[in-house]
């Protein structure tokens, strides 16, 4: 297992926040991140811990803060993906500082103690900013930066964390993987018939 369960949650949340809250391209189409009330719903969907009884009431200020965090996290993914690790650190260290990221031992009832990462306060935005930033810091500092990626699909810049055994992931989704396969097939067929 590459990451423990808490790290996996933080990394998944970071990926979800970047992919939901930053403009760019997704799976071949332009992508505009939601604004206003839609932003609150997008934050709720991106973060774990929602309840089956309905969406959480995410305050607009908290959602806006997490949208800014998502921009910072995107800079980290893009820098690492371009082999500019130093630039990733320049983007990440200020987020660790501003969120007051710190470790704390927590446990669920009946479970063993686990190191969790909290922020300077327990607000949604500060807590998740600290957690997601620490997750990326542990990956980069643990010599696993190659596990952070930006989709190689055409017209797609969504990000991912590669947890595959052989560390060969290139795409954000099976949709992009299938698009690339189809394009390669068309190219081959054109070459054969030409
Ligand atoms: Zn993609």
């Amino acid at each position: 297992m590459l990451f423990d369960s808490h790290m996996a949650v933080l990394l998944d949340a970071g990926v979800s926040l970047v992919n939901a809250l930053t403009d760019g391209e997704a799976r071949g189409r332009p992508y505009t991140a939601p604004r206003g009330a839609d932003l609150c719903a997008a934050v709720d969907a991106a973060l774990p811990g929602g309840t089956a009884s309905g969406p959480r009431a995410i305050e607009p200020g908290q959602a806006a803060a997490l949208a800014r965090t998502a921009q910072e996290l995107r800079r980290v993914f893009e820098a690492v993906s371009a082999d500019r690790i130093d630039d990733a650190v320049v983007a990440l260290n200020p987020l660790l500082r501003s969120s007051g990221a710190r470790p704390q031992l927590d446990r669920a009832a009946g479970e063993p103690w686990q190191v969790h990462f909290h922020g300077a306060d327990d607000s949604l935005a500060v807590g998740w900013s600290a957690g997601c930033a620490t997750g990326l810091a542990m990956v980069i500092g643990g010599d696993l930066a190659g596990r952070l990626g930006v989709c190689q699909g055409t017209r797609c810049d969504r990000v991912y964390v590669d947890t595959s055994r052989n560390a060969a992931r290139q795409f954000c989704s099976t949709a992009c993987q299938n698009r690339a396969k189809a394009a390669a097939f068309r190219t081959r067929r054109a070459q054969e018939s030409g």
Side-chain angles (χ1 to χ4, degrees):
M1 192 170 57
L2 202 52
F3 305 114
D4 76 19
S5 60
H6 182 58
M7 275 287 288
V9 166
L10 296 177
L11 293 171
D12 281 351
V15 165
S16 295
L17 288 173
V18 170
N19 288 343
L21 307 185
T22 64
D23 293 345
E25 296 177 308
R27 294 170 287 280
R29 293 191 183 86
Y31 180 83
T32 305
R35 306 289 198 266
D38 291 342
L39 176 59
C40 297
V43 166
D44 185 39
L47 294 178
T51 61
S53 57
R56 285 167 289 192
I58 308 278
E59 290 172 23
Q62 296 286 305
L66 281 167
R68 286 193 294 275
T69 291
Q71 297 288 352
E72 298 303 307
L73 297 175
R74 168 172 284 287
R75 285 177 59 200
V76 176
F77 278 93
E78 288 180 345
V80 166
S81 185
D83 266 335
R84 292 184 284 106
I85 306 291
D86 291 359
D87 291 344
V89 173
V90 167
L92 192 50
N93 270 341
L95 190 57
L96 289 165
R97 263 198 307 277
S98 66
S99 63
R102 62 178 177 84
Q104 176 177 308
L105 285 161
D106 290 326
R107 74 174 168 194
E111 298 287 324
W113 290 103
Q114 199 177 29
V115 178
H116 284 193
F117 299 103
H118 292 250
D121 63 52
D122 282 330
S123 71
L124 191 79
V126 170
W128 281 106
S129 296
C132 293
T134 307
L136 296 187
M138 299 287 280
V139 170
I140 293 170
D143 204 18
L144 291 168
R147 295 287 182 160
L148 307 179
V150 177
C151 184
Q152 297 300 302
T154 50
R155 282 173 290 130
C156 186
D157 62 8
R158 301 298 96 180
V159 305
Y160 60 84
V161 174
D162 183 356
T163 55
S164 67
R165 190 179 291 269
N166 57 359
R169 185 166 169 181
Q170 290 180 288
F171 302 102
C172 70
S173 58
T174 49
C176 278
Q177 190 173 18
N178 290 338
R179 287 196 305 127
K181 269 189 211 153
F185 176 75
R186 281 195 300 274
T187 304
R188 231 177 11 253
R189 202 172 49 182
Q191 281 165 352
E192 281 163 9
S193 65

